[in-house]
């Protein structure tokens, strides 16, 4: 493999085939992918989840992960948030001419590792190379298909007054990790992205309760955006308590210094669950057993008042509206 | 909607939601997409086809289509080439900051039109905005899911000696259309891209014969690349006859002038079929009934000699090896 990716690697010709077979299929191969037909073919039955995301994160390598790990975890999580068991992923690269082949190899290695942990297979793909200056290094799209178990019915529209709201851990770590890496800020205690596949956690939650109403991973726009989406989709009000929201001390300090609100910072390995009040403690206990849920907490509840609005009781006892963000906090966070 | 796309349109916040609901969902909406959950949910059973493609074509508007129409047709065709009935598509935009909102609206209109013709639904999506200079205008990823009818078994590995090779029409039109548009070349007779959804054509072919062994749309790398892929995947030889390959006169003249070989020029609305010899005439007649197959022709056969090689009998009676392309003919053709 040459040192740099050339336009020819995207031509569909000999070098394309070499790149695909030597670099991609050799690391990610499985009987479905190896056929190299125009589409992957497999058998599935029942209710399916289908999702897509393009990843444009900058920088592409960051503490706690890289664009490859992010592309697998992000799409796995979007599937898991419907209660689905993620099964098959597609993988599409847009590469800028001149990108280092060794960096591509590292990223393919991360994809393999994340896919193995999440127990998903990469079954179909595409590689495009664009001329220098027409893209910034590397963009990845992953789409995914999963199977939804019988009896599971999870949607952002299912929150009901009385339900409890659980967050699976500290909020804002991914956003701060990316920002500090991009801007060359060295925190006293370095913060890693929380980038992780949450499908195992979701299946453990579903095993202890059938009363999980909404699930979402608070990525772009953070916890505040996810809660607002639930409030709008469900036509319900949401109240949270500032003192219960888990935030890493260094993240909090960095946010204060930089003028960010941690409620709006992106996460890539957290989920927000809206669950029946009776099952909330049981589900919380189960989440805390999982390696990605040790800091989980109940942070509030769904209420009948002020539908479509999210309100936070502050540490001082006052109330503050937590609105959808209007402006751009951090571009290219995912 | 503002005149230009801003970074904020990709933030996940208010402007993102506005862009998604006002521009995208209003045009492409359906009960599955309208839920706006992290994943689309639908029921499907049996053998499924799953494929992905990122589209980076430049220019994004060209005679006969635009990047939106291409993104739908390309993915629909990849599904159809397994014999699948395309059902659901995902749609993911990477937009350069400053891109005209009116151009995005035009492209979403083309997507709607192409999806309606192909009878597929856009059920899930994603929108990312990157800073000016980090992408060239607009890239689109579409992934797709389709259902494969019982008894259909189509793969590039299924070509057998004795099979006939059919191409559904003139080769190279898309490549020449893009090249001339990009370089500002005015041909005496303008050439349009052949960009079209071929799923209806494939289902008509499957209705008249169960002996269709391979199907592929000869996009990047053209007819020559597709035939080489069949030869390699099937470990068989392929012989074609130059005089039988349908090529538009203007495309041929342009290729001679520009130094291109039409066998290597991209198509976006053509298919190559490898079929049992006994059914070849019947299938050919059926293809010619379809609006996208009027110029279809039998161009050669699969042979036991020179496995993995494609050879062309020229008009002069000599033989010429038709190899995989090594270099890049035309970057960003799709």
């Amino acid at each position: 493999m040459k040192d740099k990716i050339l336009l020819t690697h995207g031509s569909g010709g000999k070098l394309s085939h070499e790149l695909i077979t030597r670099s991609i299929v050799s690391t990610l191969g499985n009987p479905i992918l190896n056929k190299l037909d125009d589409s992957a073919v497999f058998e599935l039955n029942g209710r399916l989840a289908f999702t897509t995301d393009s990843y444009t994160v900058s920088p592409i390598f960051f503490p706690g992960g890289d664009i490859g790990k992010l592309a697998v975890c992000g799409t796995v999580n979007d599937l898991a948030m419907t209660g689905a068991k993620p099964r098959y992923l597609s993988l599409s690269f847009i590469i800028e001419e001149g990108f280092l082949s060794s960096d591509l190899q590292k990223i393919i290695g991360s994809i393999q590792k994340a896919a193995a942990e999440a127990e998903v297979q990469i079954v179909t793909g595409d590689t495009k190379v664009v001329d220098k200056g027409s893209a910034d290094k590397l963009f990845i799209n992953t789409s995914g298909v999963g199977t939804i178990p019988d009896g599971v019915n999870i949607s952002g529209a299912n929150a009901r007054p009385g339900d409890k709201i659980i967050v699976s851990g500290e909020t804002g770590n991914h956003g701060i990790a990316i920002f500090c890496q991009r801007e060359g800020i060295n925190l006293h205690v370095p913060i890693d992205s929380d980038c992780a596949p949450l499908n195992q956690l979701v299946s453990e939650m579903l095993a202890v309760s059938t009363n999980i109403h909404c699930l979402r991973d608070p990525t772009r726009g953070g916890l505040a955006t996810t809660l607002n989406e639930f409030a709008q989709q469900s036509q319900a009000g949401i109240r949270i308590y500032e003192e219960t929201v888990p935030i890493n001390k260094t993240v909090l300090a960095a946010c204060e210094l930089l003028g960010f609100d941690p409620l709006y910072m992106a996460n890539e390995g957290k989920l927000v669950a809206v669950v029946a009040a009776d099952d909330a403690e049981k589900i919380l206990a189960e989440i805390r057993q999982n390696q990605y849920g040790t800091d989980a907490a109940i942070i509030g509840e769904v209420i009948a008042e002020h539908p479509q609005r999210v309100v936070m009781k502050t540490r001082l006892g006052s109330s503050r509206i937590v609105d959808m963000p209007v402006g751009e906090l951090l571009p290219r966070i995912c």
Side-chain angles (χ1 to χ4, degrees), chain A:
Chain A
M1 193 172 174
K2 297 270 167 45
D3 211 18
K4 289 185 174 182
I5 299 294
L6 310 173
L7 278 177
T8 321
H9 284 111
S11 67
K14 269 187 188 168
L15 277 179
S16 290
H17 280 255
E18 267 183 43
L19 175 70
I20 291 166
T21 50
R22 288 199 200 159
S23 296
I24 302 176
V25 177
S26 64
T27 308
L28 302 174
N30 55 65
I32 302 175
L33 180 65
N34 297 352
K35 289 195 174 164
L36 294 180
D37 278 320
D38 281 336
S39 299
V41 175
F42 46 77
E43 187 156 340
L44 284 181
N45 292 296
R47 270 193 314 153
L48 306 183
F50 176 38
T51 194
T52 191
D53 251 315
S54 286
Y55 298 85
T56 62
V57 66
S58 172
I60 54 174
F61 295 99
F62 48 82
D66 60 36
I67 191 172
K69 181 180 181 186
L70 187 66
V72 171
C73 294
T75 293
V76 159
N77 291 348
D78 277 348
L79 292 172
M81 296 307 135
T82 62
K85 175 179 163 52
R87 300 289 300 270
Y88 299 115
L89 258 52
S90 67
L91 175 65
S92 177
F93 293 113
I94 297 175
I95 309 173
E96 184 187 17
E97 179 188 15
F99 190 71
L100 286 178
S101 301
S102 53
D103 281 349
L104 184 63
Q105 211 51 61
K106 254 188 256 175
I107 287 162
I108 293 170
S110 301
I111 289 170
Q112 190 278 327
K113 223 172 128 185
E117 181 183 346
E119 297 181 358
V120 292
Q121 291 186 311
I122 311 289
V123 292
T124 187
D126 179 46
T127 304
K128 294 279 156 55
V129 182
V130 299
D131 41 306
K132 203 158 178 60
S134 286
D136 185 15
K137 296 184 187 72
L138 176 68
F139 300 145
I140 299 181
N141 178 284
T142 46
S143 300
V145 176
T147 44
I148 303 177
D150 286 341
V152 171
N153 177 22
I154 293 169
S155 165
N158 291 355
R160 285 175 276 183
D163 286 353
K164 294 290 182 189
I165 297 164
I166 303 174
V167 62
S168 65
E170 294 172 344
T171 195
N173 297 29
H174 178 74
I176 288 295
I178 297 289
F179 185 80
C180 290
Q181 176 77 2
R182 194 188 294 169
E183 303 298 330
I185 297 169
N186 289 309
L187 297 174
H188 198 65
V189 183
I191 292 293
D192 279 358
S193 165
D194 56 345
C195 183
L198 300 178
N199 51 322
Q200 188 55 42
L201 172 59
V202 171
S203 85
E204 288 160 11
M205 292 165 67
L206 289 170
V208 297
S209 171
T210 53
N211 296 309
I212 298 168
H213 299 154
C214 318
L215 282 179
R216 192 157 292 170
D217 51 336
T219 56
R220 267 187 297 183
L223 185 57
T225 299
T226 295
L227 294 175
N228 272 282
E229 287 169 351
F230 287 164
Q232 286 176 14
Q233 284 184 264
S234 297
Q235 303 282 318
I238 284 178
R239 183 166 51 211
I240 62 171
Y241 303 89
E242 186 175 19
E243 62 190 2
T244 63
V245 178
I247 305 176
N248 177 290
K249 275 182 191 165
T250 306
V251 169
L252 192 61
C255 280
E256 279 171 4
L257 200 72
L258 299 164
F260 292 132
D261 182 339
L263 294 182
Y264 293 89
M265 300 303 281
N267 309 277
E268 290 292 343
K270 298 289 155 28
L271 61 78
V272 185
V274 177
V275 306
D278 286 349
D279 285 6
E281 287 297 342
K282 183 169 67 174
I283 295 167
L284 179 66
E286 187 66 24
I287 295 175
R288 285 184 170 159
Q289 300 282 321
N290 185 287
Q291 62 172 319
Y292 300 126
T294 47
D295 300 313
I298 295 172
I299 62 164
E301 59 261 337
V302 181
I303 54 179
E305 298 92 78
H306 57 75
Q308 305 195 52
R309 278 261 159 106
V310 180
V311 169
M312 182 165 77
K313 289 271 182 202
T314 68
R315 279 197 175 75
L316 303 171
S318 64
S319 283
R320 171 195 142 190
I321 289 176
V322 179
D323 207 352
M324 275 277 193
V326 178
E328 173 62 60
L329 280 168
L330 284 175
R332 300 184 60 190
I333 198 74
C334 59

